[in-house]
Amino acid sequence: MMRSLFAAAALAASLLASPALAADKLTVLLEWFVNPDHAPLVIAKEKGIFEKHGLDVDLVPPADPSAPPRLVAAGQADVALHYQPNLMLDQAGGLPLVRFGTLVETPLNTVAVLANGPVKSLADLKGKRIGYSVAGVEEALLSAMLGSAGLTLADVTLINVNFALTASLASGNVDATIGSYRNFEATQMRLEQHEGRFFYPEENGVPAYDELVYVTRRDLLNDARLPRFLDAVEEATLYLTNHPDEALRLFLKAYPDLNDELNRTAFADTLPRFAKRPGALDMARMERFAEFLKAKGVIPAVPPVSDYAVELKR
C-alpha cells in the first residue's frame, strides 16, 4: 500500500515538473484591421478556447488587404479570412485556395442612399451616380439588383470612390453607393447625422452567399489543426450568442481602441450573422452563387464545388 502511494506521488510530482506540451501554432491572416466581424476569433483567443483545443493562434491584420489569400496560397500563412465572391475569382485565376469554414454566413454588402434623398426604391436610381470601391463582383451584384427593378448598368453612372463610400454619399458626390456594410456603415451614417436607406442584395436578385469564409491552400486540408480550429471557433460563437454582454467586455478589453458607439453597435448587429456551424457546407447554395457569377461574366465557368469548398471530416 505504502509503495503504491509513494509511486503515485512520484508520478504526480514528475508530471507537475514536466513542461506542458506546446500548443500547435496556427497563423490566421485577417482580411482587414480587427473589428467586430472578428469577434468569434477574438473571444476564442481571449477565453483560452484555442488553447483548450491545443492551438496557439496568431491573428494578423494585413498591411495590404488584398495580400492574405496570396500569402496563404504561397505557404506563408496557414489560414486567411476571405470573401466568398472573391474566392471564386481567385479560384478561376488558379490560386489553390479552398474554403473550409464560414465566419459570417450572410451578405453584409448593401446599396446605400440617403434616407431623406430622392431615391426611395432601386427603380429611382435611373440616371443616378453610384459610387463603388471594387470592380468586378460589386458590378455584378449591382447589375442584378438594378435588374430586379427593370434597370441595367447602362441606366446609371458608376464612379470609383475608392473606400470613401460614406463620405462620397454624404457630400453629394454620388447619389448611392454599393459596398457599404449593413453592420457598420449604417450606424456610421446615423452617428454622422446622415441617416441612410439600404437595399440588400439577397432581397433584390442576388443569391444569398457567405460574406466571410476561412480559406487555406489545398495541401493543408488534411492538417489536424484545422478541425480543432473550427471546433474552437464554434465554441466561441456559441459563447457570443449566449453571453453577448460578457463577450463584448472581453472584446473591448482586448481592443480598447474600439470602445466607441460605432463598434459597440456593430458588435451587436453582427452577432446574428456569425455561422453557428462554421464547418458546415451548403453545396447547393455555393452552386447557385457560382452560377450567378458565371451568368454575370465574372467567372468563365461554374466549377465543381469541391474545387473551392469542402466540409472537413471531424
Side-chain angles (χ1 to χ4, degrees):
M1 173 71 74
M2 291 300 294
R3 282 196 298 271
S4 298
L5 289 173
F6 282 129
L11 176 60
S14 68
L15 290 174
L16 288 172
S18 299
L21 292 177
D24 292 328
K25 293 282 293 184
L26 191 73
T27 301
V28 178
L29 303 183
L30 307 180
E31 86 296 350
W32 198 245
F33 58 84
V34 176
N35 64 75
D37 289 351
H38 308 132
L41 295 168
V42 173
I43 296 306
K45 192 170 180 69
E46 294 302 306
K47 277 190 64 64
I49 298 173
F50 283 137
E51 185 179 5
K52 169 184 168 183
H53 288 271
L55 295 173
D56 178 9
V57 176
D58 282 336
L59 304 178
V60 183
D64 173 4
S66 68
R70 298 195 305 272
L71 293 173
V72 168
Q76 297 181 42
D78 306 307
V79 175
L81 278 179
H82 204 9
Y83 303 95
Q84 181 190 331
N86 297 81
L87 170 62
M88 302 299 302
L89 287 173
D90 287 342
Q91 194 276 338
L95 282 184
L97 294 173
V98 183
R99 170 265 177 217
F100 69 93
T102 297
L103 174 59
V104 176
E105 65 182 1
T106 74
L108 296 178
N109 207 336
T110 67
V111 167
V113 300
L114 294 177
N116 61 358
V119 178
K120 309 300 181 185
S121 69
L122 288 172
D124 295 332
L125 288 172
K126 185 171 183 178
K128 299 296 192 292
R129 300 157 301 165
I130 301 180
Y132 70 96
S133 297
V134 182
V137 171
E138 287 189 349
E139 289 177 291
L141 300 182
L142 181 60
S143 172
M145 295 177 73
L146 292 172
S148 74
L151 303 178
T152 70
L153 289 176
D155 292 310
V156 301
T157 300
L158 295 178
I159 299 175
N160 189 334
V161 298
N162 294 315
F163 291 99
L165 294 167
T166 299
S168 298
L169 183 58
S171 66
N173 289 333
V174 296
D175 305 294
T177 62
I178 182 164
S180 292
Y181 275 11
R182 63 194 74 178
N183 64 332
F184 195 86
E185 275 85 0
T187 297
Q188 182 182 35
M189 291 178 69
R190 175 178 59 79
L191 292 175
E192 295 176 358
Q193 308 301 312
H194 299 292
E195 197 73 39
R197 174 178 288 111
F198 300 89
F199 304 98
Y200 305 133
E202 70 275 20
E203 295 179 359
N204 294 281
V206 178
Y209 59 90
D210 298 337
E211 189 69 52
L212 287 173
V213 295
Y214 302 107
V215 300
T216 191
R217 56 190 176 277
R218 181 163 291 279
D219 62 11
L220 272 187
L221 285 178
N222 293 322
D223 192 307
R225 294 173 297 172
L226 299 185
R228 286 185 279 142
F229 171 79
L230 291 178
D231 287 342
V233 170
E234 181 172 325
E235 185 175 334
T237 304
L238 293 175
Y239 180 85
L240 278 158
T241 304
N242 294 333
H243 308 284
D245 294 336
E246 293 89 336
L248 176 59
R249 282 193 288 271
L250 276 173
F251 181 83
L252 295 177
K253 181 181 178 182
Y255 295 94
D257 56 313
L258 299 181
N259 191 1
D260 55 34
E261 185 175 355
L262 174 59
N263 282 286
R264 291 192 299 270
T265 304
F267 188 94
D269 289 344
T270 312
L271 283 178
R273 303 186 181 279
F274 292 126
K276 305 301 187 295
R277 299 176 59 224
L281 174 64
D282 186 333
M283 294 187 65
R285 190 183 195 210
M286 287 277 182
E287 286 175 344
R288 282 194 300 271
F289 194 71
E291 289 165 358
F292 165 79
L293 292 180
K294 167 63 169 62
K296 291 297 179 182
V298 177
I299 57 176
V302 177
V305 173
S306 59
D307 282 3
Y308 61 89
V310 299
E311 184 168 329
L312 298 179
K313 294 180 180 180
R314 314 281 280 279

